[in-house]
Amino acid sequence: MSDKDTTATQLSAEELEDLVASTDTGGRQPSNKNVAKFMAAVALIWSLLQVWYSSPIPYVVGFGVFNSGEMRSIHLAIAVLLAFLAYPAGKSSPRRYVPALDWVFAILGFGCAFYLFVANTELIGTLTGQRLSDRPNNPNAVDIGVAIVGMLLLLEATRRALGPPLMVVAIVFIGYTFLGPYAPGILAWKGASFGAVAYHQWISTEGVFGIALGVSTDLVFLFVLFGALLEKAGAGNYFIKVAFSLMGHLRGGPAKAAVVASGMTGLISGSSIANVVTTGTFTIPMMKRVGFSREKAGAVEVASSVNGQIMPPVMGAAAFLMVEYVNIPYFEVVKHAFVPAIISYIALVYIVHLEAMKNGMEGLPRAGQPKPFKWAMLSFLMSVAIVLALASGVYWVVQFFNGLGSAELKLLAVAVVIGLEFLIYKGVFRNASEGTKEKIISVFALVICNLTIGAFGVSYLLDIIRSLAGPALTPWIVGVLLILAYVWLASRCAKEPDLEVDDPNQPVVQLPEPGPTIRSGLYFLLPVGVLIWCLMVERLSPSLSAFWAVAFMVFILLTQSHLFALFRGEGTAGKFKEGFDHLIDGLMTGARNMIGIGIATATAGVIVGAVSQTGVGSVLADLVELLSFGNIFMILLLTAILSLILGMGLPTTANYIVVSSLLAPVIVSLGQANGLIVPLIAVHLFVFYFGIMADVTPPVGLASFAAAAVSGGDPIRTGFVAFAYSLRTALLPFLFIFNTDLLLIDVTPVQGVFVFVMSTAAILLFTAGTQGYFLTKSRIWESLALILVAFTLFRPGFWMDMIVEPFDHQPPAKIFEAAEQMPEGGELRVIVDGLDEVGEPMTFTAIIKLGAPGKGADRLSDFGLDLLTQGDEIIIDNAMYDSPAQKAGFDFDQKISTVLVPVVQPAKEWMYIPALLLLGLVVLVQRRRRDAAGAAAVAA
């Protein structure tokens, strides 16, 4: 295909906007102004209502307080209404007006969803003598009729907004609910009546209005709205420009900048397709300009954009769903997801670097003196060393500061760290000459010290404010300080020129300087900082954290144009109206971005409801166990394949809900049966990681099609290349199932830093092995050696367990003696025989975590276990209610067959030595071959 022919497949800017709209917000744009205003007004009301619901204001004024059930009804009612108005029924359906039938569907769908709110009001209770909640499991004819119509319209809205696959899957599960008696073999069940299904799916909180829709209502909307407001304020373009100014001059620089820019925009964008088009229209042409093919340029953008969904703190909707499904705090979800997300992005940057090395690519020119790549690498390594040094001391610094009791001492500590920051700035930064290696290193040192010292300074400053002002005045004082910081940063940013949105079709002569580019939008970091601070430090609820971040963004949107004009000495007339228009536009955009998510979570609730009503989950567990032969690795592989298959048609959120509901408990139980204790969060992250491949996997990956539309390349080839680039993402879930250190489970801060460093090195070596290029083009044995080294760095315990058994198998009667000898906090493992819920024999491994030292029987009793000795048998007489023993799976009349006592092993880190020796051999061989090739090229 000629360039001319290929270029013809590229879409214009308007066509790309239409692609995003048709996928995320609905492709219909009515020409009738009244209809357009109505749709805009509904979207605006939806956003304002969600902000009101998440705010503390209703509780303060005592008016407009909605409970979660009421708000779910309103949420879905508006989502269905907008879905029928914004999404055409088919490709040939009109886009410039809303047909009468769509109006009928929209009004009926709104009414059916809103019925749950109305039917539970005091007014209805007075008129009919009974509210909906007063007749549990006893629906009347109206309830059943509303449920039937509502389900049908929800399925049609799903088809329009998300395509047929999710609708088809939901129909299959509904059909199974009714046709259970006719299902084959083990899938057969007694079936259910219309009334039972209607109540379970539509009126109760087990189906459509269940946990998934509740998460969309309570949490996801505010985060999507926050991203829309940030984008409307100009943060998206700022992140792209910063990434290019910092990395565009390196080998394959535009591709590396695309990865970083997509990671940053992924923090505020919940859509892979929107991320591809937003950053891709700028990055893909620049990647092509430095030597990337159309398909590879598109694939880099796809891989980096899709990975935005695994990047904390937002992670699309999945993080909030995990809070509900796994029943752990949001902070814990983010902590567990952090290391895999970061090293995945580092590996993608390295993939780009290897591609650039293979093809001899260069970066784009920058204004000013260029910096050699080796200096950049040196600065990176030095910054890592500084991070390690700081991190190792951070824990003790925190302990010291926390030991300071009075506000005066903490104020002194804050003054000390601010003085230290001044000394670093003056002594290291200013004394380093421009363009030297010392300058580069000092910049990294200053940034890291600023972040570390700034975090501690803010933490203890807030502590002082709380102790002096009290809890009532503290929020007001913090609000004033934030506004002052924003005004000060705006005054600094106003000295720099505005960042224009570049035309991607125009050649880039040189890259912008990093300093002015970074300084031009520093105030964008404040609302992001507020969100992260509220979530991670103050430990506020995600909903309240998002509210405060949104409230701050509203203030920024209303004032930024006015402040910039004021500080630049320009006229301020009309600037407030300009900001108000941007705010209204952002509120409407956020609501339209939520249509698909609201519909997806509701329809996924249909599938979850069918699973809970029919009990098909346990049947699938038996089926999967049969197919996997009880092997935990095989069950993981089958789960990954199922996620990829479903991912070809389901959006990430729906895919995660379906697969985690069906298979997460299966993986945990099979792991126990195989002696592997798999934390539930690890299983859910495993499912989620493969779910994000939904937008990559050919032949349906929508992000790949969007990238091909920008690059002019073949979408299927783009998808396959993107899938190859995403292999490092596919590797990580398997690893953190078997090595939970990657998820920072039960590790100290210092251990966490060590895990991060070793995991980063491992993922880079795995990337080099799979890409077939390290220092030079790799031979097959070198690639295999690199992958082996990577595996050893990731999971050194695998080899150590083969050398020294980790547990000593003792007879059950030894459990009391073993429990008495274990140290405080020690874990004793036992293999237990018993019966499952349906009376079938089962065997599983359980962990007994022991408390304070004492007699073995007492320590086991403190854990919640009452044991009965009958000869050589140890029988569980009781597992106390809500005790750790009951949560670990122990139950009455189970038998302990084996006691696994931990054995003192050599440190598993000893396995790093042979791995590093093998790595050294590969490096030596490849350096000789590379130097020989270079000498031959010079001689020629």
Side-chain angles (χ1 to χ4, degrees), residues 571-790:
T572 58
K575 294 297 183 181
F576 181 80
K577 182 180 181 304
E578 177 184 329
F580 184 77
D581 291 341
H582 285 161
L583 172 61
I584 298 299
D585 196 14
L587 290 171
M588 292 188 297
T589 300
R592 293 196 67 163
N593 287 341
M594 272 301 301
I595 298 173
I597 297 175
I599 297 294
T601 51
T603 309
V606 173
I607 300 166
V608 175
V611 171
S612 65
Q613 188 170 23
T614 63
V616 71
S618 61
V619 176
L620 286 176
D622 293 337
L623 183 61
V624 170
E625 184 174 5
L626 179 65
L627 292 174
S628 64
F629 303 102
N631 183 281
I632 185 64
F633 183 79
M634 285 299 297
I635 179 64
L636 291 172
L637 190 60
L638 288 172
T639 303
I641 293 172
L642 178 62
S643 298
L644 290 176
I645 292 172
L646 288 175
M648 293 182 188
L650 302 190
T652 305
T653 305
N655 186 5
Y656 164 69
I657 294 170
V658 173
V659 181
S660 63
S661 300
L662 294 176
L663 293 180
V666 182
I667 296 175
V668 173
S669 61
L670 277 182
Q672 283 186 311
N674 284 266
L676 179 67
I677 308 299
V678 184
L680 191 57
I681 181 64
V683 179
H684 279 261
L685 283 172
F686 179 92
V687 170
F688 175 58
Y689 264 62
F690 280 99
I692 69 165
M693 306 293 280
D695 294 329
V696 177
T697 312
V700 186
L702 295 178
S704 300
F705 277 83
V710 177
S711 68
D714 179 80
I716 302 298
R717 289 179 59 193
T718 300
F720 277 112
V721 176
F723 186 78
Y725 287 166
S726 300
L727 281 177
R728 88 259 179 247
T729 304
L731 168 74
L732 287 171
F734 285 97
L735 290 170
F736 56 58
I737 287 289
F738 294 101
N739 181 11
T740 56
D741 288 354
L742 277 173
L743 302 181
L744 302 182
I745 295 177
D746 296 330
V747 298
T748 65
V750 175
Q751 288 173 328
V753 173
F754 183 75
V755 167
F756 172 75
V757 173
M758 299 310 297
S759 300
T760 302
I763 199 71
L764 294 180
L765 293 174
F766 175 81
T767 299
T770 54
Q771 290 297 111
Y773 195 98
F774 187 35
L775 302 181
T776 186
K777 187 177 180 179
S778 298
R779 292 169 179 159
I780 294 178
W781 76 267
E782 292 169 345
S783 294
L784 293 175
L786 290 173
I787 293 173
L788 180 61
V789 172

Side-chain angles (χ1 to χ4, degrees), residues 366-428:
R366 168 187 285 173
Q369 182 180 357
K371 298 177 178 62
F373 179 73
K374 61 181 181 181
W375 284 7
M377 287 301 296
L378 177 62
S379 66
F380 173 75
L381 294 174
M382 286 297 296
S383 65
V384 169
I386 294 170
V387 168
L388 292 176
L390 287 173
S392 62
V394 157
Y395 178 77
W396 302 108
V397 173
V398 171
Q399 295 302 313
F400 171 74
F401 279 178
N402 284 336
L404 302 178
S406 66
E408 291 77 11
L409 284 176
K410 291 188 176 183
L411 182 62
L412 177 63
V414 171
V416 169
V417 294
I418 292 175
L420 177 61
E421 181 181 6
F422 174 75
L423 291 175
I424 293 172
Y425 181 80
K426 184 176 180 181
V428 179

Side-chain angles (χ1 to χ4, degrees), residues 463-614:
D463 201 11
I464 292 167
I465 293 173
R466 286 193 197 97
S467 61
L468 296 179
L473 290 177
T474 296
W476 297 99
I477 296 174
V478 171
V480 170
L481 292 176
L482 269 176
I483 292 172
L484 291 175
Y486 160 62
V487 173
W488 179 76
L489 283 175
S491 69
R492 307 286 294 179
C493 297
K495 296 178 181 179
E496 307 295 340
D498 291 333
L499 297 178
E500 300 294 334
V501 178
D502 293 325
D503 182 356
N505 297 314
Q506 296 298 319
V508 176
V509 179
Q510 62 184 21
L511 292 169
E513 276 294 303
T517 305
I518 294 172
R519 288 194 297 269
S520 66
L522 279 174
Y523 64 97
F524 287 132
L525 301 180
L526 283 178
V528 177
V530 168
L531 176 63
I532 295 174
W533 186 270
C534 290
L535 284 171
M536 311 300 289
V537 180
E538 297 296 323
R539 304 289 182 91
L540 300 180
S541 69
S543 177
L544 190 57
S545 301
F547 167 75
W548 290 120
V550 166
F552 196 18
M553 274 309 307
V554 168
F555 180 76
I556 289 176
L557 276 167
L558 288 174
T559 59
Q560 65 174 354
S561 298
H562 190 93
L563 283 176
F564 271 56
L566 186 67
F567 288 129
R568 289 171 176 170
E570 303 170 353
T572 58
K575 294 297 183 181
F576 181 80
K577 182 180 181 304
E578 177 184 329
F580 184 77
D581 291 341
H582 285 161
L583 172 61
I584 298 299
D585 196 14
L587 290 171
M588 292 188 297
T589 300
R592 293 196 67 163
N593 287 341
M594 272 301 301
I595 298 173
I597 297 175
I599 297 294
T601 51
T603 309
V606 173
I607 300 166
V608 175
V611 171
S612 65
Q613 188 170 23
T614 63

Side-chain angles (χ1 to χ4, degrees), residues 79-416:
V80 172
L81 174 66
L82 289 176
F84 281 112
L85 297 182
Y87 288 89
K91 292 183 179 179
S92 60
S93 301
R95 296 190 170 216
R96 305 302 294 173
Y97 69 92
V98 181
L101 185 61
D102 284 4
W103 279 109
V104 173
F105 285 169
I107 294 170
L108 279 176
F110 177 87
C112 290
F114 198 61
Y115 174 77
L116 271 73
F117 175 82
V118 174
N120 273 313
T121 58
E122 293 292 339
L123 177 61
I124 293 297
T126 303
L127 293 176
T128 64
Q130 194 178 51
R131 295 182 300 176
L132 184 62
S133 58
D134 296 331
R135 48 177 189 274
N137 284 308
N138 186 27
N140 58 29
V142 176
D143 299 338
I144 296 173
V146 167
I148 292 172
V149 175
M151 292 281 285
L152 291 173
L153 291 174
L154 175 61
L155 292 173
E156 169 59 14
T158 303
R159 184 192 67 80
R160 295 188 182 201
L162 304 164
L166 181 57
M167 179 196 71
V168 170
V169 174
I171 289 174
V172 168
F173 275 86
I174 293 172
Y176 176 67
T177 305
F178 288 112
L179 303 175
Y182 307 101
I186 61 174
L187 292 175
W189 82 294
K190 66 178 183 177
S193 65
F194 267 97
V197 174
Y199 185 86
H200 190 85
Q201 289 283 11
W202 195 261
I203 297 173
S204 76
T205 56
E206 296 292 328
V208 171
F209 296 92
I211 290 176
L213 185 64
V215 171
S216 175
T217 304
D218 299 343
L219 303 175
V220 178
F221 193 107
L222 262 289
F223 282 87
V224 171
L225 180 60
F226 176 67
L229 295 178
L230 259 178
E231 177 66 33
K232 195 58 62 176
N237 183 50
Y238 171 71
F239 289 154
I240 294 172
K241 289 295 185 67
V242 168
F244 269 85
S245 69
L246 291 174
M247 306 192 72
H249 65 288
L250 304 174
R251 283 183 179 271
K256 293 175 181 175
V259 175
V260 175
S262 296
M264 289 191 290
T265 53
L267 293 173
I268 63 174
S269 171
S271 167
S272 301
I273 293 102
N275 201 355
V276 166
V277 173
T278 301
T279 59
T281 50
F282 183 63
T283 61
I284 289 175
M286 297 182 78
M287 282 189 265
K288 289 161 60 179
R289 196 168 297 130
V290 296
F292 282 85
S293 68
R294 291 177 173 87
E295 285 74 21
K296 286 186 177 181
V300 169
E301 183 58 48
V302 169
S304 53
S305 294
V306 169
N307 261 32
Q309 294 185 69
I310 68 174
M311 181 63 70
V314 178
M315 296 171 62
F320 312 117
L321 288 163
M322 286 178 200
V323 170
E324 300 295 329
Y325 288 155
V326 186
N327 195 27
I328 61 175
Y330 180 81
F331 173 80
E332 293 296 315
V333 173
V334 171
K335 182 185 79 172
H336 297 322
F338 179 74
V339 169
I342 293 297
I343 66 175
S344 181
Y345 262 104
I346 292 173
L348 186 54
V349 172
Y350 189 54
I351 286 175
V352 169
H353 177 67
L354 293 178
E355 288 285 355
M357 294 288 290
K358 288 180 192 177
N359 298 284
M361 299 177 192
E362 297 296 334
L364 294 173
R366 168 187 285 173
Q369 182 180 357
K371 298 177 178 62
F373 179 73
K374 61 181 181 181
W375 284 7
M377 287 301 296
L378 177 62
S379 66
F380 173 75
L381 294 174
M382 286 297 296
S383 65
V384 169
I386 294 170
V387 168
L388 292 176
L390 287 173
S392 62
V394 157
Y395 178 77
W396 302 108
V397 173
V398 171
Q399 295 302 313
F400 171 74
F401 279 178
N402 284 336
L404 302 178
S406 66
E408 291 77 11
L409 284 176
K410 291 188 176 183
L411 182 62
L412 177 63
V414 171
V416 169

